[in-house]
């Protein structure tokens, strides 16, 4: 078994953190432009009860607001979110599962081989929801507004009290926590299970064909389980959220169904599937490399 990075001293531990941060930030630079376009129109489809095709929606958005304020609306917020996320995500994705695997009772790990991944997913989700909810709120507002406005003024509105402003930028927090927990536990669990099906030993690198298969198979359960929670989160955080922001989570799920039917839960799923495959195609080899370099011990 490889030596624990928690026992080899601060220098190697710091190196593991810096390595994962640098590689994580590089992954953002490679994937963000196309990732943003997918996310932009997926959010728009979720927010608008429209029958327009993706092509029509793209043309209408471009005609109404152009490239920067239309196609790339919310890009400044998105790049801030993604750079911040990737800065802390990759160290957490690699080191937290390792910590859980080394400190949980071995009988638990033997009975549930991916338990450490599920617990790590829930831990990351809770942390991420707390620190990024305001940025997600601003991004969603930018992506769904019909005309260019000052976002801070919109969120401040007529409630000239700091407490109301904080409450406003944390609108949808509960829905975001649920979405993130489901998303992270699904992603880390299925990524781990599927990648290790192809491995004879944890030190074995994946081929390009195996990476492609892993990316597709990881994307499918993510869409099935996460998309309904993502649609409800968008309903809370979009510009025209007056019908949702005071509802409880169960009421919001019912309201989405009443307004858009069952398909409302999966609005924009094609874009989300394409987005997740691109994300996974970039993340799977990075995750595999960093785990072999700094992560899980060399046993199953």
């Amino acid at each position: 078994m490889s030596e624990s990075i928690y026992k080899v001293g601060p220098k190697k531990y710091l190196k593991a953190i810096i390595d994962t941060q640098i590689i994580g930030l590089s992954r953002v630079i490679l994937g963000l432009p196309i990732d943003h376009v997918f996310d932009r129109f997926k959010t728009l489809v979720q927010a608008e009860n429209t029958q327009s095709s993706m092509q029509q929606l793209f043309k209408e958005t471009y005609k109404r607001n152009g490239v920067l304020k239309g196609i790339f609306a919310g890009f400044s917020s998105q790049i801030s979110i993604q750079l911040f996320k990737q800065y802390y995500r990759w160290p957490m994705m690699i080191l937290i599962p390792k910590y859980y695997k080394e400190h949980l009772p071995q009988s638990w790990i033997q009975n549930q081989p991916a338990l450490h991944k599920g617990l790590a997913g829930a831990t990351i989700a809770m942390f991420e929801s707390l620190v990024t909810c305001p940025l997600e709120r601003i991004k969603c507002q930018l992506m769904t507004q019909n005309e260019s406005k000052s976002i801070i003024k919109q969120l401040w509105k007529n409630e000239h009290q700091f407490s109301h402003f904080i409450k406003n930028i944390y609108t949808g927090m509960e829905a975001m926590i649920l979405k993130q927990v489901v998303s992270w536990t699904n992603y880390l669990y299925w990524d781990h299970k599927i990648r290790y099906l192809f491995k004879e030993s944890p030190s074995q690198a994946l081929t390009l064909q195996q990476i492609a298969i892993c990316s597709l198979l990881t994307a499918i359960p993510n869409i099935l389980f996460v998309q309904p929670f993502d649609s409800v989160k968008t309903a809370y955080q979009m510009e025209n959220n007056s019908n949702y922001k005071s509802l409880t989570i169960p009421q919001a799920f019912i309201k989405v169904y009443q307004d858009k039917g069952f398909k409302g839960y999966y609005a924009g799923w094609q874009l989300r599937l394409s987005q997740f495959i691109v994300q996974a195609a970039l993340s799977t080899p990075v995750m595999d490399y960093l785990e072999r370099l700094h992560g899980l011990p060399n046993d199953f």
Side-chain angles (χ1 to χ4, degrees), residues 40-58:
R40 158 70 166 137
F41 285 94
K42 181 264 297 180
T43 303
L44 203 56
V45 170
Q46 289 175 336
E48 297 183 6
N49 193 8
T50 178
Q51 300 299 320
S52 300
S53 66
M54 300 300 171
Q55 186 177 7
Q56 289 174 318
L57 194 59
F58 189 91

Side-chain angles (χ1 to χ4, degrees), residues 105-150:
Q106 286 304 303
S107 59
W108 294 11
I109 299 296
Q110 290 170 1
N111 291 331
Q112 296 291 336
L115 176 63
H116 59 294
K117 289 285 189 173
L119 290 174
T123 302
I124 297 169
M126 296 294 289
F127 172 82
E128 185 163 283
S129 298
L130 179 64
V131 299
T132 65
C133 186
L135 292 172
E136 287 284 342
R137 171 78 165 108
I138 292 169
K139 181 196 77 173
C140 193
Q141 181 94 358
L142 282 166
M143 286 182 173
T144 57
Q145 67 180 10
N146 293 321
E147 55 187 66
S148 180
K149 304 173 186 175
S150 170

